[in-house]
C-alpha cells in the first residue's frame, strides 16, 4: 500500500474515532443518551472541542423535545401503567440535567432544566396505581391473588415510600399468598432396635425454616398449627421404614514385608574399628477391617390437605457402611513403614451404637428429602 492510501486510511479512521468520542455518531443514530454522555465527557477534558459543543447543543435540544413529546403522548393514554413510563422519561431528562451541571464548559452552551418535581409526581402516581392493582388482587382471597398483590405492593415501593398502610398490605398479601404446610410427626419403625428421630426432625425443621424465609411457603408442626389456629394447605408426611443393621464382619489379610540394607549388627576389624553390618529384616504384617452395614428407607409424601391429592411421593433409600481398620505384626519392626507402625498400634474397637448408625443413615437421606421440597416449592420465591 503506497503512502497516499495509508494516509487516507489513517485519516478516515481518525474521523471515525473523533465522531465516536464526541458522540456525533450516536446522535446521528438517535441514541441521545449516549451522544450527550460522550459530548459532556469530551468537553470536561477539552472544553473547546467544536464537534462536542455542537453535539451537546443540538443533542440536548432534540433529546428534550423527544422526551417531552413522549410525556405528552403518554398523558393522553389510557394505559394503566403510563405513569411508570412518564417517570422514566422525566428520569432521563433529570439525568441530562445532572450530567451537564457537573460540566462548567457545558453550562456555557446550554441551560438545562430540572424536572424533579414532575418525576416525583409521576412516581407517586405510578405507586398509587400499583397499590390499587394490589388491593384488587387481594379481594380475590386466593393464594395466587395474594402473590400478585405482594408483587404490586413491592413495585409500588420502588416508586414511593409515602404509601400509608403499605406494610400492613404487604403482610396481608404474603399471608394470603403463602402455602401452609403441616409437617406430621416422623415415626421410626424398627423390629429390633430402639431409635429416636430427634436428630432428623431437628435438622429438617432447621432447613425448612431457612428455606421458607423468602418464599410463599411456611412449614408448621401440629402444635404450631393449633397455637396459631390455622389450617394446612399441604401435608408433609415422612416415615422411616424398618432400619436394619447387618452382621459385623471382620476381614484380615497377612503379607510378608522385607526391607534390605538395614543395620543388623556391628563388627570390629583387626585394627579395632567398628563397622555396621547390613542385612534384610522381615515381618508378617496383618491388616484387619471391621465393617457393619445399615440400611433403611424414608417414605416421603406431600399431599393436598383439601383434596388429599398426592403432590409428591418418593421412597428415599440409603445404605451406610461403618468400617474401622487396624493391624498387627510378627517380626522385626524395622521392616515396617511409619504408617504401618502407626496402624499396628491401633486396637480393635466396638462398632457405634445403633442410634449413631441411624444418624449416619439419616445424613444420606437428608439431602434427598430436601431436594424433594426444593423441587415442589421452587416457584414460591418472592
Amino acid at each position: 500500500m503506497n503512502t497516499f492510501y495509508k494516509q487516507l486510511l489513517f485519516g478516515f479512521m481518525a474521523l471515525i474515532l473523533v465522531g465516536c468520542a464526541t458522540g456525533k455518531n450516536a446522535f446521528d443514530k438517535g441514541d441521545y443518551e449516549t451522544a450527550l454522555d460522550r459530548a459532556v465527557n469530551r468537553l470536561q477534558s477539552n472544553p473547546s472541542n467544536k464537534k462536542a459543543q455542537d453535539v451537546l447543543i443540538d443533542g440536548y435540544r432534540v433529546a428534550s423535545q423527544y422526551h417531552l413529546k413522549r410525556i405528552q403522548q403518554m398523558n393522553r393514554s389510557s394505559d394503566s401503567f403510563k405513569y411508570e413510563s412518564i417517570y422514566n422519561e422525566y428520569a432521563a431528562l433529570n439525568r441530562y440535567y445532572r450530567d451537564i451541571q457537573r460540566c462548567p464548559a457545558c453550562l456555557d452552551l446550554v441551560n438545562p432544566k430540572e424536572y424533579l418535581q414532575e418525576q416525583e409526581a409521576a412516581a407517586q402516581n405510578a405507586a398509587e396505581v400499583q397499590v390499587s392493582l394490589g388491593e384488587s388482587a387481594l379481594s380475590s382471597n386466593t393464594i395466587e391473588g395474594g402473590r400478585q398483590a405482594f408483587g404490586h405492593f413491592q413495585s409500588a415501593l420502588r416508586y414511593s415510600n409515602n404509601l400509608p398502610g403499605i406494610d400492613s398490605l404487604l403482610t396481608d398479601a404474603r399471608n394470603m399468598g403463602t402455602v401452609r404446610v403441616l409437617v406430621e410427626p416422623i415415626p421410626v419403625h424398627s423390629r429390633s432396635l430402639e431409635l429416636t428421630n430427634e436428630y432428623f426432625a431437628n435438622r429438617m425443621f432447621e432447613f425448612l425454616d431457612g428455606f421458607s424465609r423468602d418464599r410463599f411457603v411456611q412449614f408448621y408442626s401440629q402444635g404450631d398449627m393449633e397455637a396459631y389456629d390455622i389450617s394446612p394447605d399441604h401435608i408433609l408426611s415422612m416415615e422411616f421404614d424398618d432400619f436394619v443393621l447387618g452382621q459385623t464382619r471382620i476381614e484380615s489379610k497377612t503379607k510378608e514385608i522385607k526391607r534390605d540394607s538395614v543395620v543388623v549388627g556391628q563388627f570390629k576389624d583387626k585394627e579395632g574399628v567398628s563397622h555396621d553390618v547390613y542385612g534384610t529384616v522381615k515381618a508378617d504384617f496383618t491388616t484387619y477391617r471391621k465393617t457393619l452395614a445399615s440400611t433403611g428407607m424414608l417414605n416421603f409424601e406431600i399431599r393436598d390437605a383439601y383434596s388429599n391429592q398426592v403432590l409428591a411421593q418418593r421412597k428415599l433409600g440409603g445404605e451406610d457402611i461403618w468400617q474401622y481398620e487396624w493391624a498387627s505384626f510378627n517380626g522385626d519392626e524395622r521392616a515396617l513403614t511409619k504408617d504401618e507402625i502407626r496402624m499396628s498400634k491401633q486396637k480393635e474397637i466396638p462398632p457405634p451404637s445403633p442410634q449413631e448408625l441411624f444418624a449416619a443413615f439419616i445424613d444420606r437421606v437428608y439431602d434427598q428429602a430436601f431436594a424433594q421440597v426444593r423441587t415442589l416449592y421452587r416457584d414460591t420465591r418472592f
Side-chain angles (χ1 to χ4, degrees), residues 263-297:
V263 176
V264 295
Q266 286 187 329
F267 77 94
K268 290 184 178 181
D269 59 22
K270 59 184 179 180
E271 296 176 352
V273 178
S274 297
H275 299 275
D276 291 332
V277 177
Y278 293 89
T280 299
V281 293
K282 301 179 182 179
D284 290 330
F285 185 75
T286 302
T287 57
Y288 304 90
R289 175 180 294 173
K290 178 185 284 189
T291 59
L292 176 58
S294 56
T295 59
M297 188 76 67

Side-chain angles (χ1 to χ4, degrees), residues 35-251:
L36 288 174
D37 181 65
R38 290 177 178 174
V40 169
N41 288 337
R42 173 50 64 94
L43 289 171
Q44 284 177 324
S45 61
N46 184 8
S48 61
N49 188 289
K50 185 65 171 62
K51 287 190 175 181
Q53 290 176 350
D54 292 341
V55 169
L56 177 65
I57 294 171
D58 294 338
Y60 182 70
R61 175 179 55 81
V62 174
S64 297
Q65 292 174 351
Y66 170 79
H67 290 295
L68 290 172
K69 187 172 183 178
R70 283 180 56 81
I71 290 170
Q72 291 176 352
Q73 293 171 340
M74 292 171 194
N75 273 321
R76 293 193 295 266
S77 170
S78 60
D79 184 1
S80 300
F81 300 102
K82 67 180 182 181
Y83 293 110
E84 296 180 15
S85 299
I86 293 173
Y87 170 88
N88 292 332
E89 298 298 329
Y90 279 125
L93 287 167
N94 285 321
R95 190 160 52 249
Y96 301 153
Y97 174 83
R98 291 192 299 272
D99 290 344
I100 293 172
Q101 286 290 326
R102 290 195 293 265
C103 174
C106 300
L107 291 172
D108 292 334
L109 301 170
V110 296
N111 183 26
K113 184 177 179 180
E114 186 179 36
Y115 295 91
L116 188 58
Q117 290 183 349
E118 291 85 349
Q119 183 180 346
E120 290 176 349
Q124 188 65 29
N125 287 332
E128 290 173 359
V129 168
Q130 290 288 352
V131 170
S132 177
L133 292 171
E135 289 175 334
S136 177
L138 269 182
S139 66
S140 69
N141 199 30
T142 63
I143 289 176
E144 184 57 33
R147 295 179 184 182
Q148 291 176 359
F150 190 87
H152 286 303
F153 296 144
Q154 282 195 319
S155 295
L157 284 173
R158 286 197 289 269
Y159 290 102
S160 175
N161 291 320
N162 184 25
L163 299 169
I166 190 65
D167 291 338
S168 177
L169 290 172
L170 279 167
T171 299
D172 292 344
R174 181 176 181 181
N175 289 337
M176 183 182 294
T178 294
V179 174
R180 297 174 177 82
V181 183
L182 168 63
V183 182
E184 293 186 325
I186 309 170
V188 180
H189 299 296
S190 180
R191 290 189 293 268
S192 57
L193 302 172
E194 291 187 5
L195 303 170
T196 173
N197 67 352
E198 182 179 357
Y199 171 70
F200 179 78
N202 289 341
R203 288 197 67 183
M204 196 71 191
F205 271 105
E206 182 180 350
F207 162 77
L208 295 174
D209 287 344
F211 178 77
S212 61
R213 195 162 295 142
D214 56 351
R215 293 176 180 272
F216 288 111
V217 60
Q218 291 289 321
F219 299 87
Y220 300 88
S221 66
Q222 184 65 54
D224 291 336
M225 285 277 179
E226 294 172 358
Y228 296 126
D229 191 25
I230 54 179
S231 300
D233 301 298
H234 294 171
I235 298 174
L236 169 57
S237 300
M238 291 174 287
E239 181 178 352
F240 285 101
D241 275 355
D242 196 22
F243 178 72
V244 178
L245 294 181
Q247 295 295 319
T248 302
R249 297 180 58 190
I250 298 179
E251 300 171 314

